């Protein structure tokens, strides 16, 4: 018996970190993703690229996902089209792709809620106490406005006009759990100082969803800029992310920000004329590519 599973990567357009505190986040599936090929076996063996197959948590995650569908083992080969460097949901895409593959191996169809549940078990192993926005976006696709539960609320956002998004990688690995814990500490120690700022990040995500629905991309770009400033104030940016954002704006982007946990990983820039923005980011020493968000392929 063999089976395959695929799931796209994700980007957070607005609301990262705020989502952990119960505020909304606006996130989108990327055209690229993670694919797994499975052959039935006695126990789980994982090989390939795109996920840290040597990390023991990957095997534990596979066993947990397997258990959710009554599968005790499979030889799993992983391939990933996601740029390396993190921030683009590679762990969440892997978890959803594997859950889809395992469900297929178990002969289960139409079980998306169980697939999301199993993928969330894996995400908790990788990231501590994640909000769930990453794997939910990878599983649902398109653009979503997400609020963590209980009960989790997920609205699919219609896209009036595909978003020309330049995705840039710092190439610097980061830990989501550390960044989330750092902000949680600030909020706990001085809520009056930090809570309004976190709430504003969530409000930008909610308002940004309306911009996406209306095709108001200049307004969305301005929200990217405000969100990046707030996230920097929260201590989750880094010099590389600030450099990408600065270079992208100077090259004509309507707005730019870090995406995901920060401290490394990736940044995004809204760029109706993406060529000069991509060139400028590459000239500054970072990888960059164009992703159309909300097009048929995302
Ligand atoms: C990471 O992609 C998004 C964060 O908000 C963490 C989470 O939601 O679990 C930083």
């Amino acid at each position: 018996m063999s089976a395959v599973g695929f799931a796209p990567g994700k980007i957070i357009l607005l609301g990262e970190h705020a989502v952990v505190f119960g505020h909304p986040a606006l996130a989108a599936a990327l055209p690229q993703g993670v694919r797994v090929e499975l052959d039935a076996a006695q126990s789980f063996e994982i090989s390939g690229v795109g996920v840290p197959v040597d990390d023991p948590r990957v095997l534990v995650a596979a066993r947990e996902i397997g258990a959710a569908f009554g599968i005790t083992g499979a030889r799993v080969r992983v391939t990933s089209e996601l740029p390396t460097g993190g921030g683009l949901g590679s762990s969440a895409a892997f978890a959803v792709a594997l859950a889809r593959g395992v469900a297929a191996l178990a002969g289960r169809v139409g079980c998306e809620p169980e697939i999301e549940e199993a993928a969330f078990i894996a995400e908790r192993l990788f990231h501590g106490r994640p909000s769930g926005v990453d794997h939910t976006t990878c599983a649902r696709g398109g653009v979503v406005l997400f609020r963590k539960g209980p009960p989790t609320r997920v609205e699919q956002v219609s896209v009036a006009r595909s978003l020309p998004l330049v995705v840039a990688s710092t190439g610097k690995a980061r830990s989501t759990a550390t960044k989330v814990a750092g902000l949680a500490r600030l909020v706990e120690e001085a809520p009056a100082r930090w809570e309004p700022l976190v709430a504003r990040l969530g409000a930008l995500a909610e308002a940004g969803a309306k911009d996406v629905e209306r095709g108001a991309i200049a307004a969305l770009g301005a929200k990217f800029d405000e969100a990046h400033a707030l996230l920097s104030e929260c201590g989750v940016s880094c010099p590389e992310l600030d450099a990408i954002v600065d270079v992208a704006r100077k090259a004509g982007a309507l707005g730019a920000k870090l995406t995901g946990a920060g401290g490394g990983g990736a940044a995004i820039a809204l760029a109706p004329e993406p060529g000069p923005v991509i060139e400028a980011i590459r000239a500054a020493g970072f990888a960059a590519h164009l992703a159309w968000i909300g097009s048929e392929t995302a």
Side-chain angles (χ1 to χ4, degrees), residues 37-47 73-77 105:
E37 292 169 2
L38 295 90
D39 290 308
Q42 298 286 330
S43 56
F44 276 99
E45 286 167 41
I46 319 245
S47 63
R75 259 186 305 281
V76 183
R77 282 174 308 284
L105 206 57

Side-chain angles (χ1 to χ4, degrees), residues 91-113:
S91 74
F94 167 68
V96 174
L98 185 60
R100 285 189 173 143
V102 167
L105 206 57
R108 299 281 309 278
V109 282
C111 55
E112 279 297 313

Side-chain angles (χ1 to χ4, degrees), residues 10 12 15-20 25 87 89 127 129-134 146 174 176 179-180 259-262:
K10 69 91 206 20
I12 310 263
E16 54 272 271
H17 286 288
V19 67
V20 175
H127 302 304
R129 296 181 64 196
S131 65
V133 64
D134 290 5
F146 174 97
R174 84 286 174 264
T176 299
K179 284 287 155 200
V180 167
T259 183

Side-chain angles (χ1 to χ4, degrees), residues 49-278:
V49 292
V51 287
V53 288
D54 298 335
D55 182 337
R57 291 175 300 178
V58 171
L59 205 52
V60 179
R63 288 193 195 117
E64 296 270 353
I65 289 173
F69 294 96
I71 295 283
T72 51
R75 259 186 305 281
V76 183
R77 282 174 308 284
V78 189
T79 46
S80 173
E81 308 154 332
L82 294 173
T84 51
L88 302 177
S90 55
S91 74
F94 167 68
V96 174
L98 185 60
R100 285 189 173 143
V102 167
L105 206 57
R108 299 281 309 278
V109 282
C111 55
E112 279 297 313
E114 287 104 310
I115 286 170
E116 287 186 21
E117 229 169 87
F120 199 19
I121 296 172
E123 279 289 272
R124 286 201 202 93
L125 282 165
F126 295 132
H127 302 304
R129 296 181 64 196
S131 65
V133 64
D134 290 5
H135 79 279
T136 304
T137 308
C138 296
R140 308 263 173 124
V143 179
V144 300
L145 188 66
F146 174 97
R147 285 181 190 81
K148 99 175 167 141
T152 298
R153 281 174 291 160
V154 189
E155 287 164 50
Q156 210 78 38
V157 177
S158 62
V159 182
R161 193 173 152 196
S162 295
L163 306 174
L165 212 67
V166 173
V167 181
S169 296
T170 60
K172 187 172 149 184
R174 84 286 174 264
S175 155
T176 299
T178 309
K179 284 287 155 200
V180 167
L183 184 54
R185 212 165 27 247
L186 290 182
V187 172
E188 201 186 313
E189 281 165 10
R193 159 87 175 89
W194 296 104
E195 267 171 5
L197 209 142
V198 170
R200 176 69 187 150
L201 284 167
L204 286 171
E206 186 140 33
K210 303 244 164 22
D211 293 338
V212 172
E213 277 169 356
R214 288 192 206 111
I217 67 167
L220 185 64
K223 291 182 181 67
F224 277 20
D225 286 346
E226 186 180 345
H228 186 76
L230 292 170
L231 289 162
S232 299
E233 212 176 321
C234 292
V236 298
S237 191
C238 66
E240 292 86 348
L241 287 167
D242 291 342
I244 292 171
V245 162
D246 189 46
V247 157
R249 286 178 192 151
K250 287 187 178 130
L254 295 176
K257 63 182 280 291
L258 69 84
T259 183
I268 50 174
L270 198 51
E273 285 188 40
V277 175
I278 291 175

